[in-house]
């Protein structure tokens, strides 16, 4: 059962040490690089945690990590090593592995096809992208490497091994294998697997082209407890009731079986009127699938994903993958995420439909599984698209009360990771929409700088997708509303003001006053509130010119006027910036806006606020006058202003004017 427990003491301590390396276990060495102190000794499990946590943090582009050189004394002899989809590794890495042949017990090279090829064995190319995309088959396999001497190796995953590499020759030196994964590996001569029939407990042949010979060999492996012969791609081989019965009868120790993706040629399901009788049962004798009636006990796991078998009533297994219900779908995401992203993608898409159309009853587990999938496959477009879409529905108002602060922070982190790592329109839109499900700015404040930086990056291209632009500007506006001034100042330094003005300029060019235009002015209003530096940026970026252009282009857009005048009110409050507002053109515009009825009195009120600057300037000037000086001026206009606006100002001056012969 999934639990939303707080972080362990190990996790908290590891994170603290990595953030404070110089204060805990390191010193500053040559070239300003951190090195582990010679008097620090760590157990292997702590070393593993330290390296893995550091690697995860380093992989996030936004995390500024100081380079840390892991010294040799932090590593013990390798016992277990898992490498997944490491396509840049070459055969030289295999030779490095031979140093640990006496200690290595578990090894995964899943998806590391290039590791079996000599470096430079392919035709020369000049384009780096072409080099990355070049298939391994065009390179020369390294025939020198052998697993000779890996006498303790028991668990081996060679999923994706290229067909040019002879699997039989490669595996033959391994005497004590108990677990073998050959997913997607061609096996023209499968009989060699019988070499481990007295030891092999787990065999994975996902997406392997099955044959009668291979099935006959598999059935001889009497010690097998886990067998996976599932597939995702099409195959000429068809699963029959006879074959499934032979597997059940021959592998009596089986507790886990995956036959996902297979189509049964003949009917192996009991008639509907029989199988629908009674409550669902996992007892083999009541199985709706005939071959499984011969099981001595229910299976711990049964993979039926992408088969019709998952829809029957009585399935003799505690854990089943399929698409019949939420539980089967969540099981599929959990089981297939790491090594089968194509299946995990389908299952997450089905979870998306459950959360959107029906109701997700296992919310905590669903969120944890989607988060794990997004972390595991951050460069996989299909996973990122479906995962971010599922998160949007799993974090909306309907499910919010069931989510802890910690869980919602995990969602925010993985959403930001997706925005950061995958620059794709659908992913960006889904991530932005998901962030809208959170209380802003409160719930995003722990990642305040990072989320603003990512949003501004999204808004950089002025020709950005319209829906993303609208959502991103809305988020930017919400993030600078009701936050401390130091937050506003920090965001201003990131280029917030310039980005908003660029959006406004683009909308002006298109003669379009939409939500992006209004949100941009509103965001500028919020970010300049009691923040003089941002007000100065607004003026420096020719914001006043855009203000006048918008006013001229959209004279009837009252909401727009409200946002613009609110912003200028903020600028007018900064005494040092007031002179820049005192031009005849600006004063004339503000005077005309005094009669505006937009949004009640708000536009008129803000216009008064800006013109109050002019009044202050007049007050300063009038107070500076020498009333005893000789003058020959028509005072009618100025006296009226003084009487009506500043009746308490310079009584002697007013009296002098009233007695003047000029009236």
């Amino acid at each position: 059962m999934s639990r939303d427990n707080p972080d362990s003491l190990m996790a908290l301590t590891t994170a603290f040490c990595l953030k404070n390396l110089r204060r805990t276990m390191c010193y500053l060495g040559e070239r300003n690089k951190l090195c582990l102190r010679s008097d620090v000794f760590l157990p292997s499990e702590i070393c593993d945690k330290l390296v893995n946590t550091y690697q995860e943090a380093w992989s996030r582009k936004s995390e500024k990590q100081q380079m840390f050189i892991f010294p040799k004394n932090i590593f013990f002899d390798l016992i277990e090593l898992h490498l997944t989809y490491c396509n840049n590794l070459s055969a030289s890495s295999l030779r490095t592995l031979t140093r640990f042949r006496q200690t290595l017990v578990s090894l995964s090279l899943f998806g590391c096809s290039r590791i079996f090829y000599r470096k430079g064995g392919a035709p020369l190319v000049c384009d780096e992208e072409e080099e990355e995309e070049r298939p391994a088959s065009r390179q020369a396999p390294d025939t020198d490497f052998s697993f000779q001497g890996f006498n303790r190796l028991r668990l081996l995953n060679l999923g994706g091994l290229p067909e040019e590499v002879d699997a039989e020759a490669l595996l033959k030196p391994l005497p004590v294998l108990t677990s073998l994964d050959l997913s997607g590996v061609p096996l023209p001569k499968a009989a060699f697997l019988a070499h481990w029939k007295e030891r092999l407990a787990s065999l994975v042949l996902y997406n392997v082209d099955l044959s009668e010979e291979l099935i006959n060999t598999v059935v001889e492996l009497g010690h097998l407890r886990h067998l996976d012969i599932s597939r995702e791609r099409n195959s000429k081989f068809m699963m029959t009731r006879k074959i499934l019965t032979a597997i059940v009868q021959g592998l009596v120790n089986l507790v886990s079986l995956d036959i996902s993706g297979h189509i049964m040629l003949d009917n192996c399901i009991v008639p509907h009127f029989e199988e629908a009788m009674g409550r669902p049962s996992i007892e083999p004798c009541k199985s709706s699938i005939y071959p499984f009636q011969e099981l001595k006990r229910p299976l711990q796991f049964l993979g039926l994903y992408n088969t019709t078998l998952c829809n029957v009533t009585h399935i003799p297994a505690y854990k089943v993958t399929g698409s019949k219900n939420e539980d089967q779908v969540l099981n599929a995401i959990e089981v297939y995420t790491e090594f089968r992203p194509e299946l995990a993608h389908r299952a997450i898409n089905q979870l998306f439909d459950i959360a959107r159309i029906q109701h997700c009853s296992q919310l905590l587990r669903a969120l944890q599984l989607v988060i794990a999938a997004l972390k595991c496959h951050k460069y996989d477009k299909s996973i990122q698209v479906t995962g971010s879409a599922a998160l949007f529905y799993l974090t909306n108002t309907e499910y919010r009360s069931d989510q802890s602060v910690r869980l919602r922070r995990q969602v925010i982190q993985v959403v930001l990771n997706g925005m950061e790592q995958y620059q794709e329109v659908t992913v960006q839109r889904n991530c932005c929409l998901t962030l809208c499900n959170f209380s802003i700015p409160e719930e995003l404040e722990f990642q305040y700088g990072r989320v603003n930086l990512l949003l501004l990056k999204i808004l950089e291209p002025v020709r950005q997708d319209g829906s993303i632009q609208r959502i991103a500007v809305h988020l930017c506006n919400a993030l600078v509303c009701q936050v401390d001034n130091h937050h506003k100042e920090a965001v201003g330094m990131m280029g917030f003001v310039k980005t908003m003005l660029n959006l406004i300029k683009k909308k002006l060019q298109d003669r379009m006053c939409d939500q992006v235009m209004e949100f941009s002015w509103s965001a500028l209003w919020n970010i300049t509130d009691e923040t003089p530096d941002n007000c100065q940026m607004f003026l420096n970026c020719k914001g006043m010119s855009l203000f006048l252009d918008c006013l001229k282009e959209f004279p009837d857009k009252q909401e727009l006027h409200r946002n613009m005048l609110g912003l200028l009110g903020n600028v007018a409050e900064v005494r040092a910036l007031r002179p820049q507002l005192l031009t005849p053109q600006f004063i004339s515009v503000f005077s005309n806006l005094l009669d505006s009825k937009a949004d009640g009195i708000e536009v008129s009120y803000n216009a008064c606020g800006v013109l109050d600057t002019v009044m202050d300037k007049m007050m300063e000037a009038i107070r500076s006058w020498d009333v005893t000086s000789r003058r020959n001026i028509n005072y009618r206009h100025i006296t009226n202003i003084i009487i009506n606006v500043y009746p308490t100002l310079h009584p002697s001056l007013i009296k002098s004017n009233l007695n003047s012969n000029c009236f």
Side-chain angles (χ1 to χ4, degrees):
M1 181 178 178
S2 298
R3 297 177 182 274
D4 190 15
N5 295 324
D7 289 330
S8 65
L9 182 59
M10 167 74 84
L12 294 171
T13 305
T14 303
F16 177 82
C17 289
L18 286 174
K19 289 180 180 178
N20 301 274
L21 286 169
R22 292 186 66 179
R23 293 168 52 194
T24 54
M25 59 182 71
C26 296
Y27 66 92
L28 203 59
E30 295 181 0
R31 298 182 181 178
N32 205 35
K33 294 180 179 179
L34 290 173
C35 303
L36 193 71
R37 296 205 314 258
S38 59
D39 58 343
V40 172
F41 297 93
L42 302 172
S44 59
E45 59 269 22
I46 293 180
C47 292
D48 292 343
K49 184 72 175 177
L50 188 68
V51 174
N52 291 334
T53 304
Y54 181 83
Q55 187 275 335
E56 183 178 350
W58 181 261
S59 69
R60 294 197 296 267
K61 294 179 182 178
S62 63
E63 296 286 342
K64 302 288 186 181
Q65 297 287 336
Q66 185 171 2
M67 180 60 72
F68 177 29
I69 302 301
F70 287 104
K72 293 181 179 179
N73 63 321
I74 198 172
F75 296 109
F76 292 78
D77 287 336
L78 277 179
I79 297 173
E80 181 177 351
L81 178 63
H82 283 207
L83 301 173
T84 305
Y85 299 116
C86 298
N87 289 324
N88 291 328
L89 294 178
S90 64
S92 59
S93 301
L94 283 177
R95 293 182 178 81
T96 302
L97 286 178
T98 60
R99 302 177 189 175
F100 307 102
R101 57 175 173 256
Q102 300 298 327
T103 60
L104 209 56
V105 172
S106 177
L107 174 64
S108 173
L109 299 175
F110 185 86
C112 305
S113 58
R114 292 190 182 183
I115 200 171
F116 294 97
Y117 291 89
R118 289 195 300 269
K119 196 171 184 179
L124 293 175
V125 293
C126 298
D127 191 342
E128 291 184 3
E129 292 186 5
E130 184 179 343
E131 168 68 22
E132 291 179 1
E133 296 175 359
R134 184 176 60 213
S137 58
R138 290 174 57 188
Q139 303 176 31
D142 188 337
T143 56
D144 296 334
F145 175 77
S146 169
F147 278 116
Q148 191 70 43
F150 286 74
N151 296 324
R152 296 186 62 191
L153 193 60
R154 286 172 169 77
L155 289 80
L156 180 61
N157 187 336
L158 293 179
L161 185 72
E163 60 181 345
E164 291 84 6
V165 180
D166 188 338
E168 180 178 356
L170 194 65
L171 295 169
K172 193 173 182 179
L174 299 172
V176 294
L177 276 183
T178 60
S179 177
L180 180 62
D181 189 328
L182 295 174
S183 296
V185 179
L187 297 175
K189 298 178 181 179
F192 76 92
L193 293 174
H195 179 66
W196 298 281
K197 67 179 182 180
E198 299 300 325
R199 288 184 173 272
L200 208 58
S202 174
L203 179 62
V204 177
L205 301 175
Y206 171 66
N207 269 345
V208 171
D209 290 331
L210 300 180
S211 64
E212 187 175 342
E213 178 194 4
L214 179 53
I215 292 295
N216 290 337
T217 302
V218 168
V219 172
E220 292 179 16
L221 305 176
H223 290 273
L224 275 184
R225 294 174 59 80
H226 171 64
L227 174 63
D228 185 343
I229 52 174
S230 62
R231 73 184 189 203
E232 187 268 337
R233 63 192 183 198
N234 294 328
S235 172
K236 296 179 180 179
F237 183 85
M238 295 296 178
M239 181 69 66
T240 65
R241 175 176 171 180
K242 179 181 177 181
I243 292 174
L244 195 54
T245 300
I247 291 173
V248 172
Q249 291 177 343
L251 304 178
V252 295
N253 295 309
L254 213 58
V255 296
S256 173
L257 175 65
D258 200 333
I259 56 172
S260 298
H262 282 284
I263 300 175
M264 309 302 293
L265 272 184
D266 49 2
N267 187 12
C268 69
I269 302 175
V270 301
H272 178 70
F273 69 90
E274 289 185 20
E275 75 101 14
M277 294 176 60
R279 299 177 61 185
S281 172
I282 64 170
E283 293 300 320
C285 62
K286 297 181 181 180
S287 174
S288 299
I289 307 169
Y290 280 125
F292 294 146
Q293 290 180 358
E294 299 192 34
L295 289 169
K296 294 181 179 178
R297 65 192 70 83
L299 295 171
Q300 294 295 318
F301 170 79
L302 179 58
L304 299 177
Y305 193 73
N306 199 24
T307 71
T308 56
L309 301 180
C310 70
N311 296 312
V312 300
T313 303
H314 309 295
I315 302 176
Y318 293 100
K319 188 173 187 176
V320 180
T321 63
S323 55
K324 179 183 179 181
N325 53 43
E326 180 183 329
D327 197 53
Q328 288 186 2
V329 169
L330 291 178
N331 289 339
I333 299 173
E334 180 180 350
V335 172
Y336 302 134
T337 284
E338 185 173 6
F339 298 122
R340 301 176 194 178
E342 62 277 6
L343 296 184
H345 159 247
R346 290 186 186 179
I348 294 172
N349 200 39
Q350 289 164 338
L351 174 63
F352 163 79
D353 287 333
I354 291 172
R356 179 175 62 93
I357 302 171
Q358 306 171 29
H359 177 79
C360 181
S361 59
Q362 301 180 56
L363 177 67
L364 175 59
R365 185 185 180 206
L367 276 173
Q368 290 174 335
L369 290 174
V370 174
I371 289 171
L374 288 169
K375 283 184 176 180
C376 185
H377 299 286
K378 59 187 177 183
Y379 298 114
D380 187 301
K381 177 181 177 179
S382 59
I383 292 285
Q384 291 296 319
V385 169
T386 55
S388 56
L391 285 182
F392 170 71
Y393 283 99
L394 291 170
T395 55
N396 65 19
T397 306
E398 178 185 358
Y399 300 107
R400 182 166 185 170
S401 60
D402 298 322
Q403 300 167 20
S404 67
V405 172
R406 177 174 177 266
L407 184 62
R408 288 177 72 80
R409 285 193 170 192
Q410 288 178 347
V411 173
I412 292 169
Q413 289 274 25
V414 79
V415 164
L416 297 182
N417 291 346
M419 294 171 66
E420 198 169 55
Q421 300 284 358
Y422 208 89
Q423 305 302 315
E424 199 275 336
V425 172
T426 309
V427 174
Q428 296 283 357
R429 184 188 299 112
N430 290 348
C431 288
C432 286
L433 284 171
T434 301
L435 291 178
C436 291
N437 286 337
F438 293 82
S439 297
I440 304 173
E442 294 83 7
E443 288 190 284
L444 300 183
E445 196 162 3
F446 79 107
Q447 290 283 290
Y448 192 79
R450 186 184 179 199
V451 68
N452 274 288
L453 201 61
L454 287 170
L455 289 171
L456 292 179
K457 187 175 182 181
I458 288 175
L459 292 169
E460 275 180 7
V462 291
R463 292 286 180 186
Q464 178 61 276
D465 176 87
S467 60
I468 296 180
Q469 202 174 62
R470 184 170 59 254
I471 301 164
V473 173
H474 163 72
L475 286 168
C476 283
N477 188 23
L479 281 163
V480 294
C481 183
Q482 298 179 349
V483 292
D484 294 337
N485 286 355
H486 74 276
H487 280 321
K488 295 179 183 179
E489 291 169 356
V491 175
M493 294 296 291
M494 294 177 188
F496 187 100
V497 174
K498 185 176 180 180
T499 299
M500 294 300 124
L501 290 174
N502 284 340
L503 291 173
I504 293 168
K505 185 177 181 180
K506 174 60 180 60
K507 291 299 177 181
L508 263 173
Q509 292 172 354
D510 295 342
R511 305 185 70 179
M512 182 183 297
C513 183
D514 57 5
Q515 286 184 322
V516 172
M517 170 74 88
E518 292 182 358
F519 285 159
S520 297
W521 279 110
S522 179
L524 289 171
W525 182 4
N526 283 319
I527 201 173
T528 54
D529 185 32
E530 298 183 1
T531 316
D533 288 348
N534 291 339
C535 293
Q536 180 70 68
M537 288 182 195
F538 171 79
L539 295 176
N540 292 346
C541 295
K542 300 182 179 179
M544 290 301 296
S545 176
L546 284 175
F547 160 74
L548 292 174
D549 291 341
C550 283
L551 207 59
K552 180 180 179 180
E553 184 67 36
F554 310 111
D556 301 321
K557 296 292 184 178
Q558 296 184 353
E559 181 65 23
L560 180 67
H561 297 175
R562 171 181 175 270
N563 294 337
M564 293 194 299
L565 265 294
L567 159 64
L568 294 183
N570 291 338
V571 177
E573 288 178 359
V574 183
R575 180 175 293 272
L577 303 180
R578 289 174 181 173
Q580 298 185 52
L581 303 178
L582 300 181
T583 67
Q585 186 180 22
F586 292 154
I587 292 174
S588 174
V589 169
F590 298 143
S591 298
N592 292 335
L593 288 170
L594 288 174
D595 296 328
S596 173
K597 299 297 186 293
D599 199 28
I601 66 169
E602 193 154 354
V603 170
S604 179
Y605 171 83
N606 282 315
C608 285
V610 176
L611 288 174
D612 186 57
T613 302
V614 182
M615 302 298 188
D616 291 344
K617 194 72 176 176
M618 286 176 60
M619 184 182 295
E620 293 175 8
I622 294 170
R623 281 176 172 165
S624 68
W625 292 350
D626 182 0
V627 297
T628 63
S629 64
R630 185 182 176 199
R631 53 199 183 275
N632 184 21
I633 309 170
N634 186 332
Y635 291 99
R636 184 181 304 277
H637 182 62
I638 190 63
T639 303
N640 287 337
I641 293 176
I642 295 172
I643 293 173
N644 292 324
V645 181
Y646 298 114
T648 61
L649 194 64
H650 286 301
S652 60
L653 177 62
I654 297 173
K655 181 179 179 181
S656 171
N657 289 337
L658 292 174
N659 294 330
S660 172
N661 293 328
C662 297
F663 291 97

